[in-house]
């Protein structure tokens, strides 16, 4: 037990009694008749410490049942160290009845004392049939809320679906359906598909409701009709007035429904190719809609006055763009700009929030934030961030460092490199294999020339993980060098990267060099199942397009799809759109936040992985 979590005096006072409670019999004795908790004489609800002390008046199983009561009282009275001390010890009881009734209390004590690692291990290692039937629902509820706090929406959804299957109502857990809906709407299509495996009819009803709301968002009549069909198909599910509040609000919000969309892109100048890629994505998305808005493309390389005149002349009722930083800043700060606008770049921090202004960028800072969250979840303590010496990579490095420190951790080790030799020197110095090699040489010089010294360099063991911010070529140089620098007897050092490290053109030999590398990337570039058909159409039109332009195509496609969802997402932050560029949500300032997919190289090939 982690005594640092306990008050020292309380811990010392508990040790004697608790040790005797869980002590295994040293000789074979007749097992006492099981004592039921309700058979123990009821006492006036006293202070948990008093209940704990009263347990010493009993022996064997009766004593431990009284301790269970003391633990329950300690949780209710927020005497969390006492509850943890009792339940952690009773987990080793020789009585199966005590161990069963202790599981829920143990979980609650772990959670109350912020013992997240132990709580996670308990949830993963305990099957529901190990609990008393009366505790299962509350155990599922506590476990689901833990996963919600850990931002593990897939795990939380699994547990909430199990709880809903048992309860068939939300009478005992009024927040159940709202919380379940929040978690389901934040899942990707692939995650929703995994939940369909062995799903019950009730589980499938929730999953189908999630998908129909996602498919019809921004199309109120279609959504109403789909919901009516759903109720007819699943009459055992909650009625219209009992549906999750977020879904009911979704039905009552009037979305943006523009008829004529002005698109401001730099069709002349150095960024013409970028503008065309975005244009193709927008047109592709519009062509897939039955009632698509008319797209009116305007060169943003004009004066603001010319742009405004063109938009008014074309009777535009919504604007997408501009793309370039200076143009976004100029237009977003115009006080008399009348159109709701989805800017294709990030929002400046000091820009006043405006209700109809939204900002959508392929922000690499989102990736750095996502990686910091993953490291936090994996309980890493000493990550290292190695960045190529360029503006984008170093910006990501600094953002990761600031996010990591904001989570309460000390500053991570940061390194930068420009050339291959500098990168190798960083790895050697970082893992201290250079010091180990020097030590071996020193020892070798002291032994006899006829004596063969067998030794291998040892690497540092205090580093949890490496986050590499580099291009594909630099990454292929880096990963094998780390692998050979880590001592073979030491645990494998996990290496993570961003989308900057990914290239779709790698052959099998190049992928072999990257085995074990895990990275973030947009679903479109990974060819996820939800975009296979669109990818086939795209490749027929563009057989050999630059990967930067491919990402911009996906951005244009998502930008059009977002319009009908912006107002809903503005009022319901939990709503997530599964786009080609990631899972897209909207923050309080109107900025689109992306959560990318995870992928890893394993056995010389690229595979999708679930993280966390």
């Amino acid at each position: 037990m982690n005594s640092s979590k306990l008050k020292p005096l309380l811990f010392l006072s508990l040790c004697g009694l608790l040790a005797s409670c869980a002590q295994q019999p040293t000789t074979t004795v007749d097992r006492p008749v099981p004592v039921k908790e309700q058979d123990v004489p009821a006492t006036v609800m006293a202070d948990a410490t008093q209940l704990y002390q009263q347990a010493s008046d009993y022996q064997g199983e009766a004593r431990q049942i009284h301790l269970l009561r003391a633990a329950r009282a300690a949780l209710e009275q927020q005497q969390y160290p006492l509850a943890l001390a009792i339940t952690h010890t009773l987990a080793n009881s020789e009585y199966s009845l005590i161990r069963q009734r202790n599981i829920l209390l143990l979980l609650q004590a772990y959670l109350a004392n912020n013992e997240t690692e132990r709580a996670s291990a308990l949830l993963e290692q305990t099957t529901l049939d190990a609990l008393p039937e009366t505790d299962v629902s509350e155990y599922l509820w506590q476990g689901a809320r833990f996963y919600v706090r850990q931002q593990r929406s897939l795990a939380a959804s699994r547990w909430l679906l199990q709880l809903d299957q048992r309860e068939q109502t939300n009478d005992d857990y009024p927040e159940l359906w709202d919380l379940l809906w929040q978690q389901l709407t934040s899942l990707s299509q692939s995650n929703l598909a995994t939940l369909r495996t062995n799903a019950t009819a009730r589980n499938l009803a929730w999953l189908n409701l999630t998908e129909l709301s996602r498919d019809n968002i921004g199309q109120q009549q279609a959504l109403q009709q789909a919901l009516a069909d759903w109720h007819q198909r699943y009459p055992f599910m909650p009625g219209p007035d009992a549906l999750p509040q977020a879904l009911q609000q979704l039905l009552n919000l009037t979305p943006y429904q523009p008829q004529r969309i002005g698109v401001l892109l730099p069709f002349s100048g150095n960024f013409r190719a970028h503008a065309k890629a975005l244009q193709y994505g927008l047109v592709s998305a519009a062509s897939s809609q039955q009632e698509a808005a008319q797209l009116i493309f305007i060169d943003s390389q004009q004066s603001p006055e010319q742009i405004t005149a063109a938009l008014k002349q074309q009777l535009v009722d919504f604007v997408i763009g501009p793309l370039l930083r200076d143009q976004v800043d100029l237009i977003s700060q115009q006080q008399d700009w009348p159109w709701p606008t989805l800017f294709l770049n990030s929002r400046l921090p000091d820009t006043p929030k405006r209700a109809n202004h939204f900002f959508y960028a392929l922000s690499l800072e989102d990736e750095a934030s996502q990686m910091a969250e993953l490291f936090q979840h994996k309980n890493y303590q000493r990550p290292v961030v190695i960045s190529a010496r360029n503006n984008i990579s170093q910006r990501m490095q600094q953002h990761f460092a600031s996010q990591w420190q904001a989570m309460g951790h000390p500053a991570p080790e940061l390194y930068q490199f420009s050339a291959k030799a500098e990168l190798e020197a960083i790895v050697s110095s970082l893992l201290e294999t250079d010091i180990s090699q020097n030590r071996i040489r020193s020892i070798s010089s002291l032994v006899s020339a006829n004596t063969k010294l067998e030794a291998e360099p040892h690497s540092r063991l205090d580093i949890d993980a490496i986050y590499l911010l580099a291009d594909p070529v630099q990454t292929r140089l880096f990963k094998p060098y780390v692998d050979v620098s880590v001592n073979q007897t030491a645990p494998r050092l996990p290496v993570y990267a961003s989308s900057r490290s990914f290239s779709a053109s790698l052959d099998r030999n190049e992928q072999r060099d990257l085995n074990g590398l895990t990275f973030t990337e947009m679903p479109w570039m990974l060819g996820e199942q939800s975009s296979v058909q669109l990818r086939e159409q795209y490749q027929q039109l563009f057989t050999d397009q630059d990967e930067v332009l491919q990402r911009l195509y996906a951005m244009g496609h998502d930008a059009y799809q977002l319009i009908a969802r912006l107002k809903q997402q503005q009022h319901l932050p939990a709503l997530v759109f599964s786009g080609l560029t990631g899972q897209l949500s909207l923050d309080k300032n109107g900025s689109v936040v992306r959560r990318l997919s995870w992928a890893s190289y394993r056995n010389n090939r690229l595979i999708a992985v679930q993280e966390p």
Side-chain angles (χ1 to χ4, degrees):
M1 180 165 55
N2 185 354
S3 60
S4 65
K5 296 288 183 181
L6 306 177
K7 297 176 183 177
L9 292 177
L10 175 60
F11 176 72
L12 291 173
S13 68
L14 294 173
C15 288
L17 177 58
L18 293 178
S20 66
C21 292
Q23 185 176 0
Q24 296 289 341
T26 55
T27 59
T28 302
V29 297
D30 291 334
R31 177 176 173 76
V33 176
V35 180
K36 297 181 180 179
E37 189 173 354
Q38 57 266 34
D39 293 338
V40 178
T43 59
V44 177
M45 175 54 73
D47 179 80
T49 305
Q50 291 179 309
L51 291 174
Y52 158 73
Q53 292 169 346
Q54 290 170 6
S56 62
D57 296 336
Y58 299 86
Q59 298 296 324
E61 193 169 12
R63 173 187 288 180
Q64 295 187 24
I65 285 182
H66 278 81
L67 285 171
L68 285 174
R69 286 189 166 186
R72 188 174 292 110
L75 287 167
E76 292 175 357
Q77 297 165 17
Q78 299 183 12
Q79 297 187 45
Y80 299 137
L82 174 60
L84 179 60
I86 296 172
T87 56
H88 193 76
T89 303
L90 291 182
N92 298 316
S93 170
E94 67 270 31
Y95 304 114
S96 60
L97 177 70
I98 298 299
R99 293 196 303 273
Q100 285 182 331
R101 294 183 176 178
N102 184 63
I103 294 173
L104 175 59
L105 298 176
L106 179 61
L107 174 61
Q108 292 171 321
Y110 282 158
L111 296 178
N113 286 276
N114 201 31
E115 293 276 0
T116 55
E117 284 185 81
R118 286 174 169 168
S120 181
L122 179 64
L123 292 169
E124 291 171 4
Q125 296 167 11
T126 305
T127 58
L128 296 182
D129 57 12
L131 288 103
E133 177 63 22
T134 54
D135 286 351
V136 173
S137 290
E138 183 63 21
Y139 185 80
L140 286 169
W141 178 243
Q142 295 289 341
R145 293 177 64 193
F146 168 75
Y147 287 129
V148 170
R149 289 192 294 271
Q150 293 286 303
Q151 298 184 334
R152 298 173 62 179
S153 293
L154 180 59
S157 297
R158 289 188 191 279
W159 282 59
L160 290 168
L161 285 170
Q162 289 183 79
L163 178 58
D164 173 71
Q165 182 66 42
R166 285 179 56 85
E167 295 289 311
Q168 306 274 315
T169 176
N170 67 344
D171 292 345
D172 292 332
Y173 300 95
E175 301 172 48
L176 171 58
W177 291 341
D178 286 335
L179 190 60
L180 173 58
W181 185 252
Q182 180 191 81
Q183 298 307 302
L184 288 175
T185 54
S186 67
L187 295 178
S188 67
Q189 284 299 117
S190 59
N191 282 341
L192 286 175
T194 64
L195 290 176
R196 289 184 170 275
T197 304
N198 299 323
T200 65
R202 191 174 178 87
N203 291 170
L204 289 173
W206 281 113
L207 297 176
N208 289 339
L209 182 62
T210 306
E211 291 177 342
L212 74 84
S213 69
R214 186 173 291 180
D215 293 341
N216 295 288
I217 191 171
Q219 305 173 63
Q220 298 305 88
Q221 289 186 343
L223 180 57
Q224 292 278 7
Q225 184 59 53
L227 189 57
D229 294 342
W230 179 84
H231 272 120
Q232 189 171 8
R233 185 177 178 185
Y234 302 106
F236 51 83
M237 293 299 287
D241 295 337
L243 288 172
Q245 287 296 313
L247 179 55
Q248 294 188 48
Q249 292 177 40
L250 188 64
L251 292 167
N252 296 323
L253 279 175
T254 301
Y256 290 116
Q257 296 174 316
Q259 301 300 307
R260 298 169 66 82
I261 301 174
V263 183
L264 309 178
L265 293 172
F267 289 108
S268 59
N270 296 334
F271 295 95
R272 183 176 182 276
H274 300 75
K276 298 296 287 185
L278 282 160
Q279 181 183 31
Y280 295 146
L282 286 160
V283 171
S284 172
S287 64
S288 67
Q289 303 291 323
Q290 290 184 347
E291 298 180 5
Q294 183 179 352
L295 296 174
I296 300 162
F297 295 96
I298 298 172
D299 190 352
S300 62
Q301 304 282 52
Q302 306 178 67
S303 68
E305 294 76 17
Q306 290 173 310
I307 290 173
T308 299
L311 292 171
K312 289 181 177 178
Q313 183 180 6
Q314 294 291 339
L315 303 177
V316 160
D317 50 3
F318 195 96
V319 173
I320 295 177
L323 171 68
L324 304 182
R325 173 83 273 161
D326 58 339
Q327 295 172 359
V328 169
D329 296 344
L330 191 63
I331 289 179
S332 65
Q333 294 173 23
Q334 287 188 24
Q335 295 302 312
D336 57 349
W337 185 260
W339 298 280
T341 303
L342 177 60
F343 296 96
L344 299 179
N345 211 314
S346 57
R347 171 184 174 273
L348 289 177
D350 56 351
T351 303
K353 180 181 181 299
R354 295 175 64 177
N356 292 324
H357 282 198
F358 306 92
F359 298 83
Y360 172 35
L362 300 184
S363 171
L364 293 169
E365 282 83 355
D366 286 346
E367 293 192 55
S369 295
Q370 189 173 339
M371 193 63 70
E373 291 172 8
L374 177 71
F375 284 12
Q376 166 91 340
H377 170 75
K378 289 184 174 291
N379 200 35
Y380 292 151
Q381 301 297 320
R382 294 288 302 275
V384 171
V385 190
I386 301 177
S387 161
R389 196 172 278 115
N390 59 61
N391 181 55
I392 294 177
S393 296
Q394 289 182 278
R395 200 175 74 213
M396 292 181 70
Q397 185 184 58
Q398 290 302 320
H399 187 78
F400 176 93
S402 65
Q403 291 294 107
W404 187 247
Q405 289 175 275
M407 293 174 176
H409 301 283
E413 294 185 47
L414 306 178
Y415 298 87
Q416 296 86 33
F417 69 93
S418 296
K420 175 184 176 183
E422 194 174 5
L423 179 59
E424 293 178 350
I426 287 174
V427 174
S428 181
S429 174
L430 170 66
L431 299 178
E432 296 183 354
T433 50
D434 54 345
I435 297 175
S436 183
Q437 290 279 14
N438 291 336
R439 190 180 301 114
I440 292 171
R441 294 191 194 98
S442 299
I443 296 173
S444 297
S445 66
L446 298 175
V447 301
S448 168
N450 297 325
T451 303
K452 183 179 180 181
L453 178 66
E454 293 186 1
E456 62 179 19
H458 286 265
S459 53
R460 283 175 61 181
L461 298 178
D462 61 327
I463 297 173
D464 293 315
I466 294 177
Y467 185 23
L468 176 67
L469 301 166
D471 64 31
V473 174
Q474 294 165 333
T475 303
R476 292 200 302 274
L477 290 172
F478 175 83
K479 182 61 172 63
Y481 194 71
V482 170
D483 291 341
V484 300
S485 298
V486 175
N487 189 292
Q488 296 302 307
T489 62
R492 179 177 290 275
L493 181 62
V495 179
Y496 297 87
S498 72
S499 61
R500 291 180 58 76
S501 290
F502 175 68
S503 173
S505 61
L506 298 183
D507 60 31
R508 296 278 290 187
N509 289 331
E510 292 169 323
Q511 290 181 351
R512 180 184 58 205
D513 292 338
L514 297 175
N515 276 336
L517 179 75
T518 301
F519 62 96
T520 46
E521 181 57 278
M522 64 172 61
W524 175 248
M525 299 304 294
L526 296 174
E528 290 190 3
Q529 190 64 36
S530 57
S531 63
V532 167
Q533 186 175 358
L534 182 61
R535 169 63 72 176
E536 292 174 352
Q537 297 172 2
Y538 174 86
Q539 290 177 336
Q540 290 176 0
L541 295 173
F542 312 104
T543 55
D544 188 25
Q545 193 173 52
D546 178 271
E547 290 184 4
V548 171
L549 301 183
Q550 290 188 46
R551 289 183 166 88
L552 290 172
Y553 170 90
M555 182 185 187
H557 195 280
D558 282 357
Y560 185 90
Q561 303 274 28
L562 277 169
I563 293 174
R565 296 166 165 83
L566 289 172
K567 193 170 288 187
Q568 280 79 353
Q569 290 187 295
Q570 187 176 40
H571 287 84
L572 303 169
L575 284 181
V576 177
F577 167 53
S578 294
L580 301 183
T581 59
Q583 302 296 307
L584 308 181
S585 58
L586 206 64
D587 70 13
K588 63 181 180 180
N589 293 315
S591 294
V592 175
V593 179
R594 293 191 307 147
R595 291 192 68 83
L596 281 74
S597 298
W598 294 95
S600 182
Y601 291 100
R602 297 178 185 174
N603 299 321
N604 307 337
R605 64 189 185 94
L606 181 65
I607 63 170
V609 294
Q610 296 294 334
E611 291 284 5

